Amino acid sequence: MSDLVGRSSPNGHASPMPTSEPTADPPLSKNKLKKLRRDQAWEEGRERRKELRKKKKAEKRERKRADADKKDSPPPLSTPAERKANDDADAAAAKNPKRQKSIQLPISFVIDCGFDDLMMDGERKSLASQITRSYSDNSKARFRSHLFVSSFNGHLKNRFETVLSGQHAGWKGVRFLQGDFEESVTQARQLMTTEQGGRLAGAFEGKSSTSGEEAGEKSVELGEVVYLTSDSPDTLTELKPYGVYIIGGIVDKNRHKGMCYKRAMDRGIRTAKLPIGDYMKMSSRFVLATNHVVEIMSRWLELKDWGRAFMQVMPKRKGGILKDGVTVLEGLPTVSGRHGEIDNEPHGEIREDEQEPVVLEEACDELTTIEQSASTDPIKEAG
């Protein structure tokens, strides 16, 4: 009953309380009505759009079939200009063939980075660039090797993980080990005897992978282990299947001469130098960056010709020419897109205006601009 009793007004009369009654929804605005109609029209046309998409896909397939038929049966070239243009296009395609699939060979390259405490910051930066270039060249080579980076710790590792954003973690076909090069040699030999070890192709075509038969079973022969250093009295004549070739990863501007040779001799490892002096005349010192050594050996795996490999990789500013009487195989592909040219000054660094970006296709699908240095443990020949 209290709900029906009115409140007293100031003059003493009771005023009735307002009662709650349902109110009608406010009318929609013009914009809301337009939107509502559009939504309804969209829903009504859903099936029609579906049929239209199917029709377009069918027409696209028909166009592709028609284009394929045209390529198989090209129209005759009526004028000399058309025939010449077609010949020029064929010649350009022959000069730039599609990239062939890289083939893994049973051979390993080890970059020994156990000299971190002997280098300055700028030299470590150069070494990091050379390792990056070595990975890029090896991954794109016609015949690639297994690549190991040993003694990967200290300042060098910190640079890769911070400044270079850890991009090396996504690299395929390369292994970073904190242990020294002997640990890398052990792992490389084990890897090359597995199914992932690679097959005998390129320069290894026709080579035997067995050391003999015993009780009807074949065993893979362990290859040679060679530490490459310019101070070695021996010269490397060829690369062999299942071999492990160690490259000194040091950029020291020749402050620590003979360091790699002494390191190998202390461990009882055979040493050798690349046969640069047997094939080339140079207008400056025989100094190569780590990545140049890797690339030269990669070229040899494809060409089986040191002279041709040196001519393709040696920077032109070094003024290298083949010695008299040295010939190279004819009809082999040449390499386009040089990485840069070494300055003739003792520091041997690449000039800034000659640097080019490297595309790390198998790492993280991004463009990485690296600075390449040409100073490392020299692969040179005295005199």
Side-chain angles (χ1 to χ4, degrees), residues 30-63:
K30 291 183 178 180
N31 289 336
K32 288 185 178 181
L33 286 173
K34 288 181 180 179
K35 184 177 183 302
L36 182 60
R37 294 192 189 103
R38 285 197 302 267
D39 293 342
Q40 291 174 347
W42 177 264
E43 290 298 327
E44 292 171 357
R46 184 180 298 276
E47 291 299 323
R48 182 178 57 83
R49 292 193 303 274
K50 185 176 179 181
E51 293 298 326
L52 185 60
R53 284 195 298 269
K54 288 182 179 181
K55 183 179 178 181
K56 288 184 176 181
K57 287 181 180 180
E59 292 175 351
K60 186 176 181 180
R61 286 194 294 268
E62 290 298 328
R63 287 196 301 270

Side-chain angles (χ1 to χ4, degrees), residues 205-376:
E205 189 75 39
K207 295 278 188 179
S208 175
S209 62
T210 61
S211 59
E213 294 184 83
E214 192 172 279
E217 296 182 358
K218 294 183 178 181
S219 59
V220 176
E221 182 179 5
L222 293 178
E224 62 183 2
V225 178
V226 181
Y227 203 121
L228 297 175
T229 169
S230 61
D231 299 293
S232 175
D234 300 325
T235 300
L236 191 68
T237 58
E238 66 174 347
L239 304 178
K240 297 181 179 180
Y242 305 99
V244 183
Y245 298 90
I246 308 164
I247 307 163
I250 179 173
V251 180
D252 63 344
K253 315 303 186 217
N254 290 325
R255 293 194 313 274
H256 305 287
K257 294 183 178 180
M259 181 64 66
C260 291
Y261 179 74
K262 182 179 184 300
R263 185 175 176 86
M265 295 303 293
D266 291 344
R267 305 290 186 92
I269 303 295
R270 178 194 161 197
T271 63
K273 58 189 173 186
L274 292 181
I276 301 175
D278 295 344
Y279 289 83
M280 304 287 293
K281 288 181 180 179
M282 307 292 289
S283 61
S284 59
R285 297 180 304 131
F286 289 3
V287 178
L288 296 178
T290 299
N291 57 286
H292 284 149
V293 180
V294 171
E295 188 179 5
I296 286 172
M297 294 194 292
S298 296
R299 294 299 171 194
W300 188 92
L301 292 174
E302 178 181 356
L303 308 172
K304 203 176 183 179
D305 185 323
W306 286 117
R308 192 62 178 267
F310 289 139
M311 289 299 293
Q312 289 186 357
V313 178
M314 285 288 187
K316 295 179 181 179
R317 287 173 62 90
K318 298 291 286 183
I321 59 174
L322 291 175
K323 283 188 172 182
D324 295 338
V326 175
T327 59
V328 297
L329 300 177
E330 297 296 333
L332 294 174
T334 58
V335 177
S336 60
R338 290 299 312 134
H339 296 162
E341 297 178 355
I342 298 181
D343 195 342
N344 283 330
E345 295 299 322
H347 56 74
E349 293 183 350
I350 284 195
R351 292 165 53 179
E352 292 183 1
D353 58 348
E354 295 173 341
Q355 296 176 9
E356 297 181 359
V358 179
V359 179
L360 302 181
E361 299 175 340
E362 299 183 21
C364 51
D365 297 328
E366 64 180 2
L367 292 176
T368 304
T369 302
I370 64 172
E371 298 174 5
Q372 180 183 4
S373 168
S375 297
T376 184

Side-chain angles (χ1 to χ4, degrees), residues 148-177:
F148 289 80
V149 179
S150 65
S151 299
F152 185 67
N153 44 47
H155 297 285
L156 180 65
K157 180 182 179 183
N158 181 67
R159 177 174 180 78
F160 269 93
E161 293 179 344
T162 56
V163 178
L164 300 181
S165 304
Q167 61 177 339
H168 66 289
W171 292 358
K172 298 178 181 179
V174 57
R175 291 163 175 78
F176 292 84
L177 303 178

Side-chain angles (χ1 to χ4, degrees), residues 25-142:
D25 294 335
L28 296 176
S29 65
K30 291 183 178 180
N31 289 336
K32 288 185 178 181
L33 286 173
K34 288 181 180 179
K35 184 177 183 302
L36 182 60
R37 294 192 189 103
R38 285 197 302 267
D39 293 342
Q40 291 174 347
W42 177 264
E43 290 298 327
E44 292 171 357
R46 184 180 298 276
E47 291 299 323
R48 182 178 57 83
R49 292 193 303 274
K50 185 176 179 181
E51 293 298 326
L52 185 60
R53 284 195 298 269
K54 288 182 179 181
K55 183 179 178 181
K56 288 184 176 181
K57 287 181 180 180
E59 292 175 351
K60 186 176 181 180
R61 286 194 294 268
E62 290 298 328
R63 287 196 301 270
K64 286 185 176 180
R65 291 194 189 99
D67 292 340
D69 293 340
K70 289 180 181 179
K71 290 180 180 179
D72 293 338
S73 302
L77 302 175
S78 57
T79 66
E82 289 176 336
R83 288 193 292 271
K84 183 178 183 302
N86 186 65
D87 292 340
D88 292 342
D90 291 342
K95 289 182 179 179
N96 299 284
K98 291 184 179 180
R99 178 184 169 189
Q100 294 177 304
K101 185 177 181 180
S102 180
I103 298 175
Q104 178 69 63
L105 299 186
I107 187 172
S108 299
F109 300 156
V110 176
I111 300 178
D112 177 16
C113 300
F115 308 94
D116 193 70
D117 57 339
L118 300 179
M119 293 184 290
M120 295 181 287
D121 288 340
E123 295 166 341
R124 297 187 190 100
K125 177 181 177 181
S126 296
L127 178 59
S129 297
Q130 293 174 22
I131 293 173
T132 304
R133 179 72 71 177
S134 297
Y135 159 73
S136 178
D137 290 338
N138 183 64
S139 65
K140 293 182 291 185
R142 179 73 180 90

